[in-house]
Amino acid sequence: MKLQGEEEEEEEEEEEQVYGTATCSLGHRSSLILQTMEGGRICLICLTNLLSNPSSPTFHVAHALSQLSRALSHPPFLHSLLSLHPHLLVSPLLHSLSSFNDHSIASQITHIVLFLSNSSPPSSLYAEFVSRIASILSGAKLHWSPRQAYMLHCLGVLLNCEMDNPYAHIKDKSALVFNLVAGLQLPSEEIQGEILFVLYKLCILQYASEEGNGSDLLFSFCPKLLRLSMEALMKTQCDDVRSNCVALLTVLAQRGYFENAFANDKSIRDCCEADNFMDVTEHEKDVLPLNILFAEAIKGPLLSSDSQLQLGTLELIFHCLSWESGSSKQTQVLVEENIVDYVFEILRLSECKDPVVSSCLRVLDLLSTAEHAFGQRLAIGFTTLVPVLQYVVEVPFHPVQIPTLKLIQNCILNYPGIVSITQFEEIGNILTRMLRRHIDGDIDMLPETLIIACSILVDLMNSPSSHEASSLTTLVQESVGHAILASICLYEKHPKQILHSLYFLKEAYAFSHEGNSTNNKGKLELGSCIIDVCRTHLIPWFAKSISEMEDEEIVLGVLEAFHSVLLQNSHAQAKEFVMILVSSSWFSFSFGCLGLFPSEKMKWRVYLMFSSIVDVLLGNESGQPIRDATLYLPSDPSDLLFLLGQKSNQNLELLSCQSAVLLILYTSSLNDERLADEKLILASLEQYIIVNGSNFPCGAADSVTIAQLMILYGLYRGLAKMGYQIPYSSEAERILFELAAQNEWDLSSAMIHFISLKWLFQQEKIIKPLSYQILRFCRKNSSTGSHIIILGNNSQNMDVQGLAKLVAAGDNLATVLLVSLLQQLIEEEDNECDIISVVNLMVEIINIFQDAADQLCMHGIGNGIQDLFSRSSRPLSQQMFVAIEILIFDMLWSVKPEILSDGRTWLAVTMKLIWYLIPMVTAEGWTQESILVLGILSLILHHSTSQALVESSKAILLNASLVSMINNVIQSSCSKGPALIEDDEETRKGETLTFVLILYFFSCRSFNAVLPGTLDWQNLLDPSNETQPLSLISIHCHDLCRLMHFGSPLVKLVASYCLLELFTRITDPINRKQDEIKWNMGNLISVMAILEGFVFYSDIRVAMNSALCLSMILGWEKLRMQDKKVVGRSTWCRLIVEELAMSLTVPCLASKSFMNHHKPAVHVAVALMKLHSTPEWMKKSVFDDSCISAIIENLSVGNVSEETVLLFRELLNHDYLNSDQIASLNRVFQACRKHIYSGDSQDESREENPGKVTAMPDDLGKACEFLIRLMSSNPSAHKGNKRLLEEIEMFSRSLTRE
């Protein structure tokens, strides 16, 4: 059994084991002494005594706090303290915090308090610290001193932790706030800063705490708190204090404190100024109004280098101004106090970085409500906004896109002179790029962004400086398309957006026509681009979406935009747009809009647009009847037809409506639109004619109505004839035809559908009025160039296209009317101008449709031409003669030979032409008119080869005077020698010689056809032989060679054709009769020399003709030809063949361009191989195995021609090819054949139809070109791929025979 003293000793030993030494130096119990990790000990009693004693040396206190902090960082010590003595240090620490005026000690204590609060269990030490500090600061006897700042700072740190609802641990909150607000009056910035932070945290915690109960702790202190806070903010130079103050004011602004305070401050001041002005003290006079104080207070933070402080201040301004019921007076004050300048400066230095940009723009957007004062500052800060705009539009849905755009628009709209040309273009470029990226899908944007962007671009166009910005037109051109396309794509989500894009489109089109736009290429392109946007995007979308549209305003907006395009002063673009509209069935579509939205506004817009379309199409304010009758016109097309069928009885309103209805039906019908069933329209027209036919007075207006009525009636009668037979009224037809016969009307000035034109020209009952209309048209056509304009399906909008189509068709009276009109005018006297106009019309018709020449010939145009020559009482004038000869030339060029009769008519015309030609040349020399007669005679001779105009050809061939005149020209030209080169196609002598040679060429062909066997062609080989049984045009062979040698390129060409024709004529009978050729050796050598020199001539036609002539001469060796040994011994022939072989073996020359130039030489080589004794050098020196193999290697499907195959066929026939070469050739030719049959190749040598050549007297070159084309054509020859296939087939047959 232990004694009591022994038990105490054991307990002390156990405590000593746990806590260390049993007591400290002052004898405190060991349970209050805690062991540190380093082996030391801390007596809590001693520590509390040291901290609680204000007289303790600060060095000792600081050292003790330092050791305590180190000990607390070790978990065992901290655990022992919190588990055994958790609240022991609370009071000493706080007492020390308020007792020592030492910043380092205060910092150490604050750190320990925060550490203990974070380390203790919830609702323990943290709550006690907050509660005790709050109690100290809310005490009634609180005296502010620098030491209280440490207490405030500690409380602020604790409140900032926001653990365990600190607001609930503050007991007397009102007293605390009261003391804090009172403390703001102290001059100490440190205390003010700590108070502001605590108030800020209390305000935040109050609204987060459940104990707030909706009451506002600070509201009762509002005016004083705001004023003191603002004064502190205005006076302080410390950014920390500013940050705390701005944070507090921001929260108060969010709670609405500013709204109430500013209102109360204004009321109080108004009251003082009204009632107690004399009692106001000097001090009160110096007190700034709250709104001015606020403006002054925020200037310092805005100028601070702390970006976060600047952002907080901007946020404060934003919340201060963003209350719905906020006073505009406050905004005005801020602007007048130059806050805008501060914000612009922050924005300028921000380098376009968020969040500064967003904050600045939000504030500027609110400040902009003070329009006048803000505008002056905006003009100064505008340069800062342009780079910001470029930044914000690049970010999708940037929050300040819209405010930035609004500010930009504000300055452009109200201060256009501030914006420089460079800024104009830069803003336009930024907005255009934004719209482009939006369309490309790179960025998205809010609908309002697009709307404001369109408005800014409109303001740019309307600015006085817009015409100086060179790139603005191009930017607008791109932007308007993007804006329209974006609005169309987003129509379902944002239907109203399209209205703003349409407004942009209208303004852009108006901008394109401002000033002298006709000379401004950029503006012309802008107008064309807008029309293209309407055509490609707007009209198709509108037509597709109209049935789903519910908002009439949008439909009206689209129609108004289209209408504005029509109203601009640009006929060409308006005409283009009208054609786009009418091709989209605009009349029917517009009545559909009226059916969906049968309002008065819609009716007016539709009919006014109809009138503008008619104005553009018909000109001369033609749409005025529709404008006059719009008030009375119904919305339904059926009702329009009902009005048309009523008897007017001089009812002016009904007359106006009927004129408008006719005009609408007429204009819409031109483009195959049917506003109602065809039967109903025809019935209404007939009813109108029957009941109102007798009421048509004479006059210009009614002549237009009659013309339109005739065209409309003809259209629907023609449609009935084409499709199904609709019953018609013969009475209405009779009345209408009588009106046409008795009244003046002008078909030549009207637009007409081709179906209507054709039906009218099928009516024999109105043949006289139609004849007069053609004459009227001819007169206009010759004087002003006016033409009937024909539109609609299967119709043309060109000159006399419709009439030409009628004449060529032959199923109407157009040809009969033309021919009879010409004969009628010939019978009358003094109608030369009318005759010329009719003849010119026929020429135009033939040039449009060559088949028209057949119809004119079948209906007796030859008789008319004969009558022109024979019935004239005096010689034809030059103008008349030119018109007639052009008609004859075009007739003979276009007509088919089988159509031409061989009667006395064309013989008489031929004799008249010769009769005019000979004295004309004798008196005046060769003129353009006389030269063209040679062309006509050449065409007559050409037709004789097809057994047409045979008698006329004989008259030409056997006319001694003509032959003598032609031979004189030849002799004169041949005698010039080298000087002949000067007579080229640009000179009169050169033209004469060319046409004489052409006439000679066709006379050779014709002589062989109409007088076969009557001429010995060999006589032309010997120049000394001048005996001819007949007097005819004759050019000896050596003269043709002389012309080829000395003549101009065109003379060389025509002479080569003549020489080839001569050799052909000589060869043909010899092949049949085996006659001997008698040719002087010297003449033969000279002719061959000339021909050999032209084989490689640059003009392939001359070269080919020369080669063919040379090959014929070589072929005559087989005949009984004198001096035949001379043939084939020519050195030049060897040179030609060697040049051919060398060229074909060089890979770089085996091209398509060379394909044509080696063709003539092939014919020479083939002719040499066909000689009885082939020259030995052909095989030994030229076409040896290596040469042939090289040529074959260069062959490909693309460069094989019929001449190439001909050459290899002849080489095969003469055993020049070995088996390998033959196999290679077979592969190439088979591939070529397959290529042709597959259809992959195009026939490059295919003859095209002769072009439409008008042989005008001042352009004989076209007539010459056509005649040369006739000379080169060979009806019996196969062209192109067909001939190549035949040559390949002949090669295969030769191989089989082998």
Side-chain angles (χ1 to χ4, degrees), residues 1004-1183:
C1004 290
R1005 281 192 176 179
S1006 178
F1007 219 106
N1008 195 57
V1010 302
L1011 297 171
T1014 59
L1015 181 63
D1016 187 2
W1017 295 97
Q1018 289 191 52
N1019 292 331
L1020 298 177
L1021 293 177
D1022 187 1
S1024 62
N1025 186 2
E1026 298 181 358
T1027 61
Q1028 284 292 350
L1030 297 173
S1031 177
L1032 50 79
I1033 303 171
S1034 60
I1035 306 177
H1036 286 82
C1037 176
H1038 75 283
D1039 288 334
L1040 290 174
C1041 290
R1042 185 178 287 110
L1043 293 175
M1044 286 182 63
H1045 183 68
F1046 294 115
S1048 65
L1050 184 59
V1051 171
K1052 292 180 190 297
L1053 175 62
V1054 180
S1056 69
Y1057 278 116
C1058 293
L1059 190 59
L1060 177 62
E1061 185 65 23
L1062 174 60
F1063 281 4
T1064 303
R1065 300 279 75 83
I1066 294 173
T1067 303
D1068 287 346
I1070 292 177
N1071 286 336
R1072 295 193 299 271
K1073 299 179 181 180
Q1074 297 296 318
D1075 293 337
E1076 182 182 10
I1077 295 179
K1078 299 178 181 180
W1079 201 355
N1080 181 272
M1081 177 179 169
N1083 292 337
L1084 174 63
I1085 293 175
S1086 63
V1087 170
M1088 289 186 64
I1090 294 293
L1091 295 174
E1092 288 166 347
F1094 279 105
V1095 170
F1096 290 109
Y1097 189 66
S1098 57
D1099 189 335
I1100 185 64
R1101 296 171 295 178
V1102 176
M1104 182 62 75
N1105 292 338
S1106 301
L1108 291 174
C1109 290
L1110 189 58
S1111 64
M1112 288 183 187
I1113 294 175
L1114 294 174
W1116 291 346
E1117 186 200 34
K1118 299 178 181 179
L1119 305 175
R1120 294 188 300 277
M1121 179 178 177
Q1122 296 176 350
D1123 300 321
K1124 62 182 179 180
K1125 293 182 180 180
V1126 177
V1127 180
R1129 295 181 180 178
S1130 172
T1131 305
W1132 275 101
C1133 287
R1134 178 171 181 172
L1135 180 63
I1136 292 171
V1137 177
E1138 289 176 346
E1139 181 70 18
L1140 169 67
M1142 183 193 69
S1143 301
L1144 291 177
T1145 55
V1146 179
C1148 62
L1149 296 181
S1151 61
K1152 282 191 175 182
S1153 62
F1154 183 74
M1155 279 172 52
N1156 292 327
H1157 288 281
H1158 81 257
K1159 290 180 180 180
V1162 168
H1163 290 280
V1164 177
V1166 169
L1168 287 171
M1169 282 188 283
K1170 287 183 177 181
L1171 294 174
H1172 284 300
S1173 56
T1174 304
E1176 295 181 357
W1177 51 263
M1178 288 283 289
K1179 187 170 185 179
K1180 291 182 179 181
S1181 303
V1182 181
F1183 291 113

Side-chain angles (χ1 to χ4, degrees), residues 141-412:
K141 298 180 179 182
L142 176 68
H143 296 287
W144 290 104
S145 66
R147 288 173 293 187
Q148 304 303 326
Y150 304 140
M151 190 70 70
L152 284 168
H153 179 72
C154 186
L155 178 60
V157 171
L158 291 172
L159 293 178
N160 199 41
C161 294
E162 298 183 6
M163 295 188 302
D164 192 28
N165 190 12
Y167 185 78
H169 304 309
I170 301 175
K171 298 178 181 178
D172 195 349
K173 300 177 181 63
S174 297
L176 174 62
V177 174
F178 178 83
N179 287 344
L180 293 176
V181 173
L184 286 175
Q185 301 177 71
L186 297 176
S188 173
E189 287 188 354
E190 184 179 5
I191 293 177
Q192 287 178 340
E194 299 296 346
I195 291 174
L196 290 169
F197 183 76
V198 171
L199 287 173
Y200 162 69
K201 294 305 296 184
L202 287 174
C203 190
I204 294 294
L205 293 171
Q206 177 193 3
Y207 285 95
S209 174
E210 296 180 357
E211 295 187 9
N213 296 325
S215 61
D216 201 330
L217 176 64
L218 302 180
F219 186 77
S220 58
F221 303 94
C222 174
K224 184 177 181 180
L225 175 60
L226 286 177
R227 181 171 291 279
L228 291 174
S229 301
M230 292 178 190
E231 288 176 350
L233 181 61
M234 180 178 65
K235 295 175 181 178
T236 185
Q237 299 298 318
C238 177
D239 282 347
D240 290 339
V241 178
R242 287 170 174 168
S243 297
N244 293 341
C245 187
V246 168
L248 173 62
L249 291 174
T250 302
V251 175
L252 297 178
Q254 290 175 329
R255 303 289 184 263
Y257 281 45
F258 277 73
E259 183 181 13
N260 296 324
F262 287 156
N264 293 336
D265 184 66
K266 183 178 183 302
S267 300
I268 293 171
R269 289 191 171 275
D270 291 344
C271 181
C272 290
E273 291 174 2
D275 300 332
N276 303 311
F277 178 76
M278 299 303 296
D279 298 333
V280 176
T281 65
E282 290 296 326
H283 174 72
E284 290 172 334
K285 289 181 180 180
D286 294 335
V287 175
L288 292 173
L290 200 58
N291 49 11
I292 296 179
L293 178 61
F294 174 72
E296 292 295 332
I298 60 177
K299 290 180 180 178
L302 289 175
L303 291 174
S304 173
S305 60
D306 187 344
S307 60
Q308 294 301 317
L309 176 57
Q310 289 180 331
L311 287 174
T313 308
L314 292 170
E315 190 76 10
L316 168 61
I317 299 172
F318 173 78
H319 289 296
C320 179
L321 300 178
S322 59
W323 284 89
E324 293 182 3
S325 58
S327 173
S328 60
K329 178 67 176 176
Q330 174 61 17
T331 305
Q332 186 76 19
V333 168
L334 291 179
V335 175
E336 291 175 353
E337 290 297 322
N338 301 318
I339 298 302
V340 176
D341 298 338
Y342 288 79
V343 178
F344 271 123
E345 183 64 15
I346 295 172
L347 188 60
R348 185 182 68 84
L349 298 174
S350 67
E351 298 180 352
C352 296
K353 295 180 181 178
D354 272 327
V356 179
V357 170
S358 297
S359 299
C360 289
L361 268 300
R362 290 169 66 196
V363 171
L364 290 173
D365 184 42
L366 292 173
L367 293 174
S368 64
T369 56
E371 297 177 357
H372 179 69
F374 178 81
Q376 298 174 356
R377 275 79 179 176
L378 175 62
I380 298 173
F382 178 76
T383 54
T384 306
L385 289 176
V386 177
V388 173
L389 174 66
Q390 185 168 1
Y391 165 71
V392 298
V393 299
E394 295 293 331
V395 181
F397 298 111
H398 196 287
V400 293
Q401 269 185 0
I402 295 174
T404 307
L405 290 169
K406 286 182 177 179
L407 292 173
I408 294 285
Q409 183 182 22
N410 187 352
C411 191
I412 295 173

Side-chain angles (χ1 to χ4, degrees), residues 992-1011:
T992 303
L993 177 59
T994 302
F995 273 83
V996 165
L997 289 173
I998 292 173
L999 180 63
Y1000 171 69
F1001 174 87
F1002 285 107
S1003 68
C1004 290
R1005 281 192 176 179
S1006 178
F1007 219 106
N1008 195 57
V1010 302
L1011 297 171

Side-chain angles (χ1 to χ4, degrees), residues 567-673:
L567 295 177
Q568 291 297 330
N569 188 22
S570 174
H571 180 73
Q573 291 183 343
K575 184 67 174 290
E576 178 186 358
F577 187 57
V578 163
M579 298 312 297
I580 294 172
L581 290 176
V582 297
S583 64
S584 304
S585 302
W586 186 256
F587 287 88
S588 303
F589 178 78
S590 299
F591 280 114
C593 294
L594 271 175
L596 293 172
F597 304 98
S599 66
E600 195 67 19
K601 290 175 64 176
M602 183 64 70
K603 187 186 82 168
W604 274 89
R605 177 59 62 190
V606 167
Y607 281 121
L608 289 178
M609 194 166 176
F610 282 171
S611 68
S612 298
I613 290 174
V614 174
D615 283 341
V616 175
L617 279 179
L618 307 183
N620 299 325
E621 296 292 323
S622 301
Q624 189 62 42
I626 300 177
R627 288 189 285 273
D628 294 340
T630 298
L631 180 63
Y632 313 108
L633 290 174
S635 302
D636 193 331
S638 300
D639 295 334
L640 291 177
L641 295 179
F642 175 77
L643 281 179
L644 185 63
Q646 303 302 304
K647 186 175 180 62
S648 61
N649 289 326
Q650 303 303 319
N651 185 328
L652 296 181
E653 293 179 3
L654 183 56
L655 280 172
S656 177
C657 288
Q658 288 176 335
S659 297
V661 173
L662 276 177
L663 192 55
I664 292 172
L665 288 173
Y666 167 71
T667 310
S668 62
S669 68
L670 294 173
N671 295 276
D672 296 316
E673 281 198 72

Side-chain angles (χ1 to χ4, degrees), residues 961-1019:
S961 300
L962 177 63
V963 169
S964 175
M965 186 171 59
I966 297 301
N967 289 336
N968 290 336
V969 174
I970 298 298
Q971 293 173 7
S972 174
S973 299
C974 291
S975 64
K976 290 184 178 181
L980 185 62
I981 190 66
E982 298 177 359
D983 295 343
D984 59 11
E985 56 270 20
E986 300 296 330
T987 64
R988 182 57 47 81
K989 291 182 178 179
E991 289 178 336
T992 303
L993 177 59
T994 302
F995 273 83
V996 165
L997 289 173
I998 292 173
L999 180 63
Y1000 171 69
F1001 174 87
F1002 285 107
S1003 68
C1004 290
R1005 281 192 176 179
S1006 178
F1007 219 106
N1008 195 57
V1010 302
L1011 297 171
T1014 59
L1015 181 63
D1016 187 2
W1017 295 97
Q1018 289 191 52
N1019 292 331

